[in-house]
Structures are given as structure tokens and as C-alpha cells.
Amino acid sequence: MQSDIEICRNTPLSSIATVAANAGLLPHEFDTHGKYKAKVHPQCLQRLHTNQDGKLVLVTAITPTPLGEGKTVTTIGLSQGLSKINQSVMACIRQPSMGPVFGVKGGAAGGGYSQVAPMDELNLHLTGDIHAVTAAHNLASAALDARLYHEQREGYEAFEARTGLTALKIDVERITWKRVMDHNDRALRMVKIGLNEEGKTINGFERDEGFDISAASELMAILALAKDLNDLRQRIGRIVVAYNLEGKPITTEDLQVAGAMAVTLKDTIAPTLMQTLEGVPTLIHAGPFANIAHGNSSIIADQIALKLSSYVVTEAGFGSDMGFEKACNIKASAANRAPDCVVIVATLRGLKANSGHYDLRPGMAIPDSIFNPDQAALEAGFENLKWHINNVHKYGIPAVVAINQFPQDSLEELSELKSLVKRFNPDVKVAVSTAFGQGGEGTIELAQHVVEACEQPSSFRPLYTPEQPLKEKLMVVCEAGYGASTIDMSEQAKKQLAHFEALGFDNLAVCIAKTPLSITTDSAIKAAPSGFSVPIRELRLCAGAGFVYALSGNVMTMPGLPDKPAFMNLDLDDQGNIIGLS
Amino acid sequence: MQSDIEICRNTPLSSIATVAANAGLLPHEFDTHGKYKAKVHPQCLQRLHTNQDGKLVLVTAITPTPLGEGKTVTTIGLSQGLSKINQSVMACIRQPSMGPVFGVKGGAAGGGYSQVAPMDELNLHLTGDIHAVTAAHNLASAALDARLYHEQREGYEAFEARTGLTALKIDVERITWKRVMDHNDRALRMVKIGLNEEGKTINGFERDEGFDISAASELMAILALAKDLNDLRQRIGRIVVAYNLEGKPITTEDLQVAGAMAVTLKDTIAPTLMQTLEGVPTLIHAGPFANIAHGNSSIIADQIALKLSSYVVTEAGFGSDMGFEKACNIKASAANRAPDCVVIVATLRGLKANSGHYDLRPGMAIPDSIFNPDQAALEAGFENLKWHINNVHKYGIPAVVAINQFPQDSLEELSELKSLVKRFNPDVKVAVSTAFGQGGEGTIELAQHVVEACEQPSSFRPLYTPEQPLKEKLMVVCEAGYGASTIDMSEQAKKQLAHFEALGFDNLAVCIAKTPLSITTDSAIKAAPSGFSVPIRELRLCAGAGFVYALSGNVMTMPGLPDKPAFMNLDLDDQGNIIGLS
């Protein structure tokens, strides 16, 4: 079989203007960026607002292995399958970060015959939205450090007298806004900035700092949750970057940089239109993490796609305890729109990895032996899939199971898994997907199940309402959401909770950052654990995004490069074509 | 008068496809990026190579005040003037850095009625080239620190045995590649990276580091000097990022990251086409500094424009001792193409500032009193203009003087300045330009002079040839180029020179980084000094760009933000339009 980039390069694509016109957009409603990308202006919603909304299909997964279970392949493949059975359909996915493209994981365009194309343009730069997020984010940092420097150097009174500005009196120990970089760069995790040659102060005020990867920027979550440009501007202004010496929050508005940040982000408000290898129009917009942020593509992209097509297929990061929980409790609430049907992606490999019968440790390669039929392991791991089916039903949404087939899978075992699902719950439809190898042809049965499921009555129930106190929201996600029996907050977290309540942030949503490799907070615990405790080490405020996130365990917000990173394979050939991208 | 952005918004523009077609490009030779920008593929040169080249007009200036003397306004205005007198013309300018847009200086689109439009798109992001430079640059940094970390953590032998890679044995004290950020961010000038919590090493190997602004990246100079994508790839691979413990250079090729950097920069090879307010097609490409780099827009953009039009107007940073010297000795040599005519921009304000009659210090506002007629100051400052005229003639190129008129200027004094030029050298044509207030109408006389000057015989003579030793090149630029009588190399610089010679870099060009505010290396020395000495503190190698740069005095490669930065004025209005950009 050809490599992803070869398949992509050998597939004829339509011009993006044709794709846009076929999707129902008028020429003034989009701007092309090269032959295969267009920015779609959200103003089109004014014309389209009387259209009936299509059905929103959310793709989630079982508890994944570190390699992922193929959610994006299934999302793209399913959209192509829906198109094959003559449904009008669009896909909505997140923009990949360049860090993992150069690191270990590779790109995020799907794969095989279920890709967004051209995959190199999706994986690198796209239409510049992540770069704009990085620039706007670091502008706030430069503004903060410049203000700190000028106020400290001159003294608050002299600074105020000379400039006419009010001194912000930033508490250098309580700066919460780190810088960002769209790379896997471990050396930037902990840094000291503002260093000076001896006896000088021209380089600013020395302090501890760190860099996160750009996808972890609060601005990325804001972009994904904003309703429109004005909402984006207002949310930016609510970002708390530090506290002053009296413990009061300092916002980007206080720094007078919120407007410039919005100016920098202005063009990011427009989702990027591309196409799948089979021509399904696909909107790519925002790329927030699914732990410290909510892990879903944007509300604006969904809104546009729902007005243009009968089915919109989108995905949520990691397993259903992670991105799907946040899709329901954070995104759906901000969008006032819940999914109509949820597809749970399972693999034989992933279920057996969830059995506890294999000695799998993070960083280790998954042994090929996992593909050998092993009924005991499959049955043990199936507990995990049951958990995720029940989890989706808990929110009142119909579920469909997609078994993402690998070439090494045994047909008997695939059939066995289908039987397990049917025996567990005859109302839950299950289909094997060969989206990777066959594109839309490989998801026709899945697509038919999805169409049926979308006709089922859905009675969406999020786990909490904004009015509930923050602590109650955290408890309900851990207990009702994960099945934990207790929540164990550190003293620091308790203090932070009290502080956020005192500041009036009690109505925010909660976003729990934990390992995606287990339903618990311990990546070694597999299948469908219950009765566990969730430790909450620390809380952090994202007042602009509209949530408080809780760190449970170590969540790495700046990845590192391995000793043989993916970038070593990348180059240009004599014709200027990219080689080695996957 | 309206603000720049108001003028820009109120001027009707053609679609960029129309501009491209009018410029002579075929539809497959460019990709539109939105309504008013297009990427022009250098492959068009294959079709155009039999066309005769147009005339290359380079705009330089007297020794400027820190506010600049209006080179970009004159460049854009002159291109519009040439169009008014029915010449086919294009302009080629550098892409502005976003740092100064948010800091003090503001944008770099020209101004008034001589702007590249839309000025907000030029000044922010454009088509993403600077972001791509930043990303590619910092990828090399991440690669370097990851390699350092893996080799150090494991030990060289174990690292080699396990990975099959050859240990690079990076000397942590001799890492020459700093990170970059496209912001004015003084707190990043000197930093410490790779810090760890006590007893841990997971965040890498601790070391001193610094950030430059992205325009200072060697990649920016490479982009401006590359002949094509293949040359770009080869130049990237020659970049020296560090030395090993034996003093041997370590390149990006050694890190196996050169290919991925080229992949990241792939789309930057295509210049961005925009238009002036009067519809002159303008290519924007690369934006290297004019001190530590050569300060000129790209060779590729010039090549394309010269094939498409009879006149190409471009500019070189700072005064003629700076960007113009480098245009002749670095760019012209790499391009094998010298300017046919040079326009020297002078202002009454700038000449009087050069008189030494005013107490002007860096960072201080220029007093309004400088606009009052003052014959003695003008005559004293005129020495500076004479120096720059002679300097241009030294290279064998015809010179034209453009007096960029300010609204506060006295007509008598403007007339006096014209007389001074005519008396000094009757062969040098001089015209007053009102490009800012009147657009092309304000440069018709200047345009006529330029057309005449381009007909004069030009006998281009660079100051040195590649074969001369590095030291001789440095001496000839200081002595013949600046008029210094001696060059004073530090012990460190002498050692570095010997090292670079030993490494075989003797054939590189030299690029002297000094203050632009004086012909000497002391910004307080005005007019036309002679007999001075040029201290060379340190040499740095840009083997990919193809020059060694010499630091003479302190050259700041990461600006800082003032206490009231320009970003404080920026915001979006209710319609989503940008306000406060200048």
C-alpha cells in the first residue's frame, strides 16, 4: 500500500471553489487560500440562519492506546460513507499542531483512503490559525513583562506620574500566563527570563517562566468556544494573566492588550474549508487539547456545517471520558447544541490493550502479538467498551460502535466483538469500518447505522448546570462522569477553589485534566474500573474560555522530542515535493 | 487628513487576480490568498526567462533619524509615479515584522496615499512567511536541545549503541543558534532553559539561551538570498548551529533537521503579490535586518518583477552605508544583478538632524523646532547627503535625490536644498516628493528623473570580490565603504577570524552590524565624518546566508516594548474592522 502522502498526491482533487460551491456557499462567503483551502466567513450564517440544522454526529472512542484508535480516520471515513449513501454531509475536525508532526505522533489528517487533503497543507501551517494563536498569546506575555519591567524599574508612583497609567502592581510570584510555542520543545518547559548581565537591568525583570505547546493556549480554547468575532474579543478581555499584590486578577484588558490580541486573531474566526480524498467538504477550526482544554473543534465550524448539510461528523479528543465528556458539559452548553448521535471507535488492539493481560507501559511499543486472537483478553477488554457505551447513554444520546479494522486483525475476532456488542445491548448497532483501506466504501454499514441512530429520540442531559458550585461540578464529573467514588482535593486546590469562588467565577464550567490512557487517573488501570478516587492537585482558571481546569496527576503541556524524531524523515525531493510526512 | 488605515479602507482595490493578470502572470502561476494577496510561484520564471529584464531602481537614504526618512513611502510613491507616466512598473519590498507594529515604529506599508494595500494584511501575518521562518528556526533549536538532552542523559557511547546515530558531542558553551520570536520582547533576550525541579532531568539540559526577533533569523537572510527552492534547501543545510567538543561545526544537516526546516519553509519561496493604493503590483518577500543581515527584499521577487515590468522599485534598509552597501556587496553578488539607478531619500528634518546643531539623543522625541528654516543647520547637514551621493557613485551607479516633503516643511528651504544638490553636482537630478499626501501625482518629476538616470551608463563595481580574504573584505567596507581610516579588531574577533578561515569560510561576504544613526559606529557623530576607527567586537558566522557578520558596538537583535506601546491603540470595532493601526 502507498504511504499516506503518496495516496494523497495521487488522488485528483476538486478546486476548493468548487467544493465550496457544492457545499452551498456563495462566492463572497469564502476566500480561497491556494488551490485547496478556503477561509469560510461566519457571516454566511446570516443568510443561512433559516435553514434547518443537520444532524450532529460526534465520534469518540474507547480508552485509547498512546497511538490512538483511529478516530480521525473513522470521522473522515464515515463522512465519506454518508456521502456514498447519498446524504449531504460535512466533516469538522481540529487543526493539528505542528509539534507532533515533527515529533512522534505524526500528522492528524486521518490516513489511508480516509484523509483530509492535501494532508501536508493540513499538517503544516494550514491557513495560519495556530501561528496567529501563538502570536496573540505571546503578545500578551511581552505586554505583561514590559509592564512589569517599566513599573519595577521606575517605581509605581513615578511610573503613574510620568505615564498617566495606573500601576498594575503585578505580583511576580503569581503570574499565571505562560508563553507558548508550536513545537515539542522540552527545554522550554521551565525557564528563567529577564536575565541581565551583572549590574544591568535592560533585559527586564528576572522571573521563572515556562512555555506550553500552542494547542494548550487558552486562546485556542477560546477560539473553539467563541460564538462570533465579538464574543472572541470579549472572551480575550476576560483572560486572567496574573494577580496583583493584593490578590486581585489582572486581565489582558488591564494590560490594554486585549484589542491587539483580537486584531491578531481576527482572521482565525473563519474556519478553513478543505476536502476529503472523496470530496466531502471538511471544516478545520481550532485545536484545543482534550485534557487542560475541552478537545473539540469549534462551535462556529459546527454551526456553519449544520446549516449547509444534513449530517455533520465531528470528533472529540481521546476516549469518551475525556473529549466527549467535555463536548457535552462544556461545548454543548456554550453552543446550546448537543450531538444527535455518538460513534464509539473501538479496535481489537485497543480493547485487548485494555484487558490488563498485556504488559504495556507508556513509551513502549505495542507488541505485534496483540493482534493474535485472544478471546479472554478481548472479553476482559470489552468491559471498557461497555463502559463507554453506558457513558454515552448516560448523556441521553444514541450510540453506534465502529470497529476500526487493522490489516492484521482476525475476521473471527472481529465477528466475536460484534457479537459481544449485540449481546450486551441489542439496540446498539455495530459495524466494522475499513475506512483506512477503502475510504467511504468501508463505512457504508456504519453510515447506515448512524442515519438510523440519528432518527432515534435523543434526550440530552449534561452532567451539571452552570448554577451549581464549582466543587459540585468537579464531583459530578468525577463520580457520575468517571464512576469514581471520591474526589481528593489537595490543600492547594481547596484554597484555589475558595479563591475562584470569592472572585465570582463559580458559574464557570470545569475541565478535568487527567491521563487519557485510563478512565481513572492512573494510566495503568485498565478496562472499566470503579470505586476509585480522583486526586485533584491544582486548579487553574481560564476565565476567557469559561472553565476552571483541574490537574489530576501530571499533565504535560509541552511535549519533548524523542531521540529519533519524525522530522529526520522529512525532506523535499528534486521537484520540491514533501517526502516522509505521515 | 485621514489616518493611514482610513485612507486604505476608503480606496477601492482591484481583485488580486486582476492585478496578477495585469502584471502578466498566467492563472496557474499564482495562488490567491484572500481577495487582495496572492503567492506568485517562482516557476513562472521558466516561461519568462527570455523576456528582457527591466531596470532595477534601489531606494536608499541619508543617515536617518530613528523615525526613518520615508524610504518606503518614496518607494511606493515612485512606483506609482512611474505608472502615472505610463511606464510598466512593479515594487518589491520587505515583509514587516509584527514586533514593531505592536511596539513603537508601527507598520511598514508606506503611508498616506503611498501605501501597499490592505495595509493591515501586510503588517499582520501577510501570507505567513515570517511565522514559517519562526517555526523552522525554532524547530532547529528544539532539535538541538533534544539531541543535547538525549546524548547527555545517556552518555555518548550508550546513545550511539542504542540509537545507531553518531553522537554529535555538542559543546554546550558554543551553541550559536538562538531561538526567535516575532515580538518586541526584552525579557527573552537572556534566558536560561532546560531548568528542572530539584533532582530531576526530564526538562532537558540547563543552559544559557536567548531569543532574537524573527527578522534576525539567518533563515530570513537565506530566504532573501536564495535563488530557488533547491538553493534554499542547500543553504539551510549549511547553517552552523553549534560546535562540538573538538571545535568542529555542527550543522542543521548533522542534526538531520535541515530537510524538515525546508519543508516548513516550502511555501515561503513564493513572493506575495499585493497592490499599491494606485494599483501598482507589489511583491513582498522576506524581511532581513539591515545590520546583522543585509536588509533587502528577496532576489526571487526582484527576478520575477524584472521579467514582468520595465521598472522595478525596491528599497534597502537604513542609509546608503547600511542596506545599500549590503545590496551591492552581498545581494548583487548573489543575484548577479546590480541596481541600475539609486534614489537617495533626504528630508529637511533628517539633514538638519545630521547637522549636529540639535541636541538629539536616541529615545528622545525630535523637537518641532527642527522644521523651522535654519540655513546653517541645513548646510551643515547637507554634508551628509553629499556623502551618500558620493557613496552611491563609488559603486558606479547613477544617483537621484528625492526630497521627501513633510507638511511642516518650508518651501524656501526645500528650494534651497534643491539648489545645494545642483550646485554640488549638476549631474545629480533632484525632485521633491509629496508621495505621502499625493501618491503618484507627487512623484512625477522624480519618476522622470529616474527614467533618465536609468538610461545613463552604469558601471557597477562592488567593493570586494569573494576571493579576497575575510579581513580584507572587512577593511575595504570600513575604509572604502564608510571612509574610516582604521579598523580595530578585538582579540576575540581576531581569534574568530582565524577560526572561520581555518574552517574554510574565507570566501563568504561580510556584513557589518553597526548603528544606522551615523556613518561611523558612534550614533552621536553626525554629517560626513572621516578618519574614524571602526571597532569590531565580535564576528558571527552565517554560513547558510553566505556571510560573516561583524558586530561593531551593541546591536540589539531583540527590541523591547515601551511603556505605552502601539498595541494599546489597537482594537476591533463593532463591524470587526481594525482600528488604531498605523
Side-chain angles (χ1 to χ4, degrees):
Chain A
M1 191 166 156
Q2 296 173 302
S3 71
D4 286 354
I5 196 164
E6 284 166 348
I7 293 172
C8 190
R9 197 166 291 139
N10 294 330
T11 303
L13 300 175
S14 303
S15 84
I16 199 65
T18 304
V19 174
N22 291 346
L25 290 165
L26 302 179
H28 69 274
E29 291 172 339
F30 63 92
D31 282 320
T32 60
H33 283 243
K35 294 183 177 55
Y36 303 117
K37 292 173 295 193
K39 282 275 202 188
V40 178
H41 303 305
Q43 289 92 318
C44 69
L45 287 168
Q46 287 164 20
R47 174 178 67 87
L48 298 168
H49 84 281
T50 52
N51 284 17
Q52 213 193 332
D53 268 17
K55 297 289 188 181
L56 184 59
V57 180
L58 184 70
V59 176
T60 181
I62 59 166
T63 300
T65 64
L67 299 174
E69 303 314 305
K71 273 197 313 290
T72 308
V73 166
T74 307
T75 301
I76 302 307
L78 171 58
S79 73
Q80 295 182 147
L82 285 161
S83 179
K84 287 261 181 227
I85 61 169
N86 300 313
Q87 299 295 345
S88 96
V89 58
M90 289 180 74
C92 289
I93 65 168
R94 287 173 287 169
Q95 181 184 356
S97 162
M98 296 213 303
V101 170
F102 296 125
V104 185
K105 190 169 173 284
Y113 290 90
S114 291
Q115 292 186 54
V116 180
M119 63 87 94
D120 52 329
E121 298 193 21
L122 176 70
N123 284 318
L124 302 165
H125 308 307
L126 193 66
T127 49
D129 290 354
I130 294 183
H131 292 318
V133 164
T134 306
H137 185 114
N138 291 332
L139 176 60
S141 297
L144 178 81
D145 274 299
R147 189 64 173 257
L148 183 67
Y149 166 70
H150 289 294
E151 290 190 13
Q152 295 282 345
R153 195 181 55 137
E154 200 168 7
Y156 299 134
E157 278 182 40
F159 174 83
E160 291 189 340
R162 189 178 53 78
T163 63
L165 299 169
T166 303
L168 296 179
K169 303 180 182 173
I170 300 159
D171 183 348
V172 73
E173 302 294 332
R174 297 193 65 196
I175 293 171
T176 51
W177 190 251
K178 292 160 76 179
R179 283 170 171 79
V180 296
M181 176 86 87
D182 192 29
H183 278 304
N184 291 6
D185 196 347
R186 73 164 63 69
L188 295 183
R189 284 178 195 151
M190 274 178 69
V191 303
K192 233 183 224 311
I193 62 169
L195 303 182
N196 286 284
E197 286 172 52
E198 200 163 307
K200 292 193 178 168
T201 60
I202 59 161
N203 296 343
F205 191 82
E206 183 177 319
R207 69 177 183 89
D208 295 325
E209 172 66 322
F211 283 71
D212 290 332
I213 193 162
S214 299
S217 167
E218 183 176 348
L219 291 176
M220 190 58 96
I222 288 176
L223 179 61
L225 290 167
K227 283 194 242 332
D228 52 35
L229 191 57
N230 184 48
D231 187 32
L232 181 83
R233 170 64 185 83
Q234 300 310 316
R235 284 172 179 268
I236 290 170
R238 293 200 288 269
I239 294 171
V240 173
V241 293
Y243 295 89
N244 71 12
L245 295 172
E246 293 168 7
K248 299 232 166 67
I250 296 171
T251 65
T252 58
E253 215 73 84
D254 295 325
L255 286 170
Q256 293 172 253
V257 74
M261 292 168 76
V263 165
T264 306
L265 284 176
K266 178 173 176 280
D267 295 337
T268 66
I269 201 74
T272 300
L273 180 70
M274 294 181 76
Q275 62 193 298
T276 74
L277 290 177
E278 298 179 9
V280 173
T282 303
L283 291 175
I284 299 101
H285 203 205
F289 268 24
N291 40 46
I292 60 145
H294 64 292
N296 285 257
S297 69
S298 84
I299 289 176
I300 290 175
D302 285 0
Q303 283 177 336
I304 294 172
L306 286 167
K307 290 297 180 193
L308 290 172
S309 58
S310 306
Y311 291 88
V312 175
V313 189
T314 184
E315 65 170 320
F318 300 135
S320 85
D321 51 324
M322 299 293 289
F324 167 74
E325 178 270 310
K326 295 167 171 86
C328 292
N329 294 313
I330 300 175
K331 183 181 177 181
S333 154
N336 201 21
R337 180 69 164 88
D340 297 293
C341 160
V342 168
V343 174
I344 304 170
V345 177
T347 59
L348 292 177
R349 179 185 77 175
L351 288 175
K352 286 187 275 182
N354 264 294
S355 67
H357 295 201
Y358 294 83
D359 182 24
L360 302 174
R361 271 169 294 183
M364 268 178 48
I366 295 174
D368 281 345
S369 62
I370 205 164
F371 289 106
N372 299 337
D374 181 342
Q375 191 167 350
L378 182 62
E379 282 177 11
F382 182 66
E383 295 300 309
N384 185 262
L385 178 54
K386 278 161 65 177
W387 189 95
H388 287 284
I389 293 171
N390 287 336
N391 188 43
V392 170
H393 285 160
K394 195 187 303 163
Y395 292 85
I397 310 175
V400 173
V401 173
I403 307 173
N404 180 31
Q405 184 179 346
F406 280 67
Q408 306 98 310
D409 285 347
S410 96
L411 295 180
E412 293 73 17
E413 203 166 31
L414 287 167
S415 165
E416 169 65 17
L417 176 54
K418 286 177 80 164
S419 305
L420 284 171
V421 175
K422 284 176 192 162
R423 256 178 282 151
F424 169 62
N425 186 337
D427 294 336
V428 174
K429 296 284 195 253
V430 55
V432 171
S433 163
T434 53
F436 188 91
Q438 301 186 287
E441 279 296 332
T443 63
I444 286 178
E445 189 190 353
L446 176 64
Q448 286 161 338
H449 291 335
V450 163
V451 169
E452 280 171 42
C454 283
E455 298 313 314
Q456 289 174 34
S458 158
S459 54
F460 177 66
R461 294 179 299 272
L463 293 186
Y464 55 80
T465 60
E467 297 72 34
Q468 288 173 266
L470 279 174
K471 170 128 195 232
E472 212 173 293
K473 289 173 190 154
L474 286 170
M475 285 176 64
V476 81
V477 172
C478 293
E479 296 173 9
Y482 301 156
S485 55
T486 51
I487 167 170
D488 180 16
M489 292 186 74
S490 73
E491 288 308 308
Q492 186 189 17
K494 285 180 192 162
K495 259 194 233 163
Q496 289 165 325
L497 190 69
H499 185 223
F500 295 155
E501 284 172 351
L503 291 172
F505 292 120
D506 217 29
N507 62 336
L508 298 185
V510 298
C511 181
I512 297 180
K514 68 168 188 74
T515 176
L517 303 178
S518 169
I519 292 159
T520 73
T521 59
D522 177 351
S523 62
I525 299 176
K526 297 298 177 191
S530 64
F532 53 91
S533 175
V534 176
I536 303 281
R537 200 184 69 211
E538 197 181 334
L539 300 180
R540 293 197 191 147
L541 177 65
C542 291
F547 54 74
V548 165
Y549 73 87
L551 286 171
S552 178
N554 284 316
V555 173
M556 189 64 86
T557 47
M558 173 54 94
L561 287 170
D563 46 31
K564 286 184 179 172
F567 69 66
M568 288 186 173
N569 305 317
L570 279 173
D571 213 331
L572 297 174
D573 68 15
D574 291 345
Q575 276 72 50
N577 295 313
I578 295 171
I579 49 179
L581 191 63
S582 62
Chain B
M1 192 166 157
Q2 295 173 304
S3 72
D4 286 354
I5 195 163
E6 285 166 347
I7 292 172
C8 190
R9 196 164 292 140
N10 295 329
T11 303
L13 300 174
S14 302
S15 84
I16 199 65
T18 304
V19 174
N22 290 346
L25 290 165
L26 302 179
H28 70 274
E29 292 173 339
F30 62 92
D31 282 319
T32 60
H33 284 241
K35 295 182 177 54
Y36 303 117
K37 293 174 294 194
K39 282 275 201 187
V40 178
H41 303 305
Q43 290 92 319
C44 69
L45 287 168
Q46 288 164 20
R47 174 179 65 89
L48 298 168
H49 83 279
T50 52
N51 285 15
Q52 212 191 335
D53 268 16
K55 297 289 187 180
L56 184 59
V57 180
L58 183 69
V59 177
T60 182
I62 59 167
T63 301
T65 65
L67 299 175
E69 303 314 305
K71 273 198 312 292
T72 309
V73 167
T74 306
T75 301
I76 302 306
L78 170 59
S79 73
Q80 296 182 147
L82 284 160
S83 178
K84 287 261 180 225
I85 61 170
N86 299 314
Q87 300 293 346
S88 96
V89 59
M90 289 181 74
C92 289
I93 65 169
R94 286 174 287 170
Q95 180 183 357
S97 161
M98 296 213 302
V101 171
F102 296 125
V104 185
K105 190 168 171 284
Y113 290 89
S114 292
Q115 292 185 55
V116 179
M119 62 87 95
D120 52 329
E121 298 192 22
L122 176 69
N123 284 316
L124 302 165
H125 309 306
L126 195 64
T127 50
D129 290 355
I130 294 182
H131 292 317
V133 164
T134 306
H137 184 113
N138 291 331
L139 175 61
S141 297
L144 178 81
D145 275 299
R147 189 64 173 256
L148 184 66
Y149 166 71
H150 290 293
E151 291 189 13
Q152 294 283 345
R153 196 181 53 137
E154 201 167 6
Y156 300 133
E157 280 183 39
F159 174 85
E160 291 188 341
R162 189 178 55 78
T163 63
L165 299 169
T166 303
L168 296 179
K169 303 182 183 172
I170 300 160
D171 182 348
V172 74
E173 301 293 329
R174 297 191 67 196
I175 294 171
T176 50
W177 189 252
K178 293 161 74 179
R179 283 171 171 78
V180 296
M181 176 85 86
D182 192 28
H183 279 303
N184 290 7
D185 195 348
R186 72 165 65 68
L188 295 182
R189 283 177 196 152
M190 275 178 69
V191 303
K192 232 183 227 306
I193 63 170
L195 303 182
N196 285 285
E197 285 172 54
E198 203 166 304
K200 295 194 178 167
T201 59
I202 60 160
N203 296 343
F205 192 82
E206 183 176 321
R207 69 176 184 90
D208 294 325
E209 171 65 320
F211 283 72
D212 289 332
I213 193 163
S214 299
S217 167
E218 183 176 349
L219 291 176
M220 190 59 94
I222 288 176
L223 178 61
L225 290 168
K227 285 195 240 331
D228 52 35
L229 191 57
N230 184 46
D231 187 32
L232 181 83
R233 170 65 185 83
Q234 300 311 315
R235 285 172 178 267
I236 289 170
R238 293 200 290 270
I239 294 171
V240 173
V241 294
Y243 296 89
N244 70 11
L245 294 172
E246 293 167 7
K248 298 231 168 69
I250 295 170
T251 64
T252 58
E253 215 74 85
D254 295 324
L255 287 170
Q256 292 171 254
V257 73
M261 292 169 76
V263 165
T264 306
L265 284 177
K266 177 173 176 277
D267 295 337
T268 66
I269 201 74
T272 300
L273 180 70
M274 294 181 76
Q275 62 193 298
T276 74
L277 291 177
E278 298 179 9
V280 173
T282 303
L283 291 176
I284 299 101
H285 204 206
F289 269 22
N291 40 47
I292 58 146
H294 64 293
N296 284 256
S297 67
S298 83
I299 288 176
I300 290 175
D302 285 0
Q303 282 176 336
I304 296 172
L306 286 166
K307 289 297 180 194
L308 291 171
S309 58
S310 306
Y311 291 89
V312 175
V313 189
T314 185
E315 64 169 321
F318 300 136
S320 84
D321 50 323
M322 300 292 290
F324 168 75
E325 178 270 311
K326 295 168 170 84
C328 293
N329 294 312
I330 299 176
K331 183 181 177 181
S333 155
N336 200 21
R337 180 68 165 87
D340 297 292
C341 159
V342 168
V343 174
I344 304 170
V345 177
T347 59
L348 291 177
R349 179 185 75 176
L351 287 175
K352 286 186 277 182
N354 264 295
S355 67
H357 294 202
Y358 294 83
D359 181 24
L360 303 174
R361 272 170 294 184
M364 268 179 47
I366 295 174
D368 281 344
S369 62
I370 205 163
F371 289 106
N372 299 337
D374 181 343
Q375 191 169 351
L378 181 62
E379 283 178 10
F382 182 67
E383 294 301 309
N384 184 262
L385 177 54
K386 278 162 64 178
W387 189 95
H388 287 284
I389 293 171
N390 287 335
N391 188 44
V392 170
H393 286 159
K394 194 187 304 165
Y395 291 85
I397 310 174
V400 173
V401 172
I403 307 172
N404 179 30
Q405 184 178 344
F406 280 67
Q408 307 97 310
D409 284 347
S410 98
L411 296 181
E412 293 74 16
E413 204 167 30
L414 287 167
S415 163
E416 169 65 18
L417 176 54
K418 286 177 81 164
S419 306
L420 284 169
V421 176
K422 285 175 192 162
R423 253 178 285 152
F424 168 62
N425 186 336
D427 294 336
V428 173
K429 295 286 197 257
V430 54
V432 171
S433 162
T434 54
F436 188 92
Q438 300 186 287
E441 280 296 331
T443 64
I444 287 179
E445 190 191 352
L446 176 64
Q448 287 161 339
H449 291 335
V450 164
V451 169
E452 281 171 40
C454 284
E455 299 313 313
Q456 288 174 35
S458 159
S459 54
F460 177 66
R461 295 180 297 274
L463 293 185
Y464 56 79
T465 60
E467 297 71 35
Q468 289 174 265
L470 278 174
K471 171 130 195 229
E472 212 173 293
K473 289 174 189 153
L474 286 169
M475 284 176 65
V476 81
V477 172
C478 293
E479 296 172 10
Y482 303 156
S485 55
T486 51
I487 168 169
D488 179 16
M489 291 186 75
S490 72
E491 286 310 308
Q492 185 189 16
K494 283 179 193 163
K495 260 194 234 165
Q496 290 165 324
L497 191 68
H499 186 223
F500 296 154
E501 285 172 350
L503 292 172
F505 293 119
D506 217 29
N507 62 336
L508 299 185
V510 298
C511 181
I512 296 180
K514 68 168 189 74
T515 176
L517 303 178
S518 170
I519 292 160
T520 74
T521 59
D522 176 353
S523 62
I525 298 176
K526 298 299 176 189
S530 64
F532 53 92
S533 175
V534 176
I536 303 281
R537 200 184 68 209
E538 196 180 336
L539 300 180
R540 294 197 189 147
L541 176 65
C542 290
F547 53 73
V548 165
Y549 72 87
L551 286 171
S552 177
N554 284 315
V555 172
M556 188 65 85
T557 48
M558 174 52 95
L561 287 170
D563 46 31
K564 286 183 179 172
F567 70 64
M568 287 186 173
N569 304 317
L570 279 174
D571 213 332
L572 297 173
D573 67 16
D574 291 345
Q575 276 72 51
N577 294 312
I578 295 171
I579 50 179
L581 190 64
S582 62

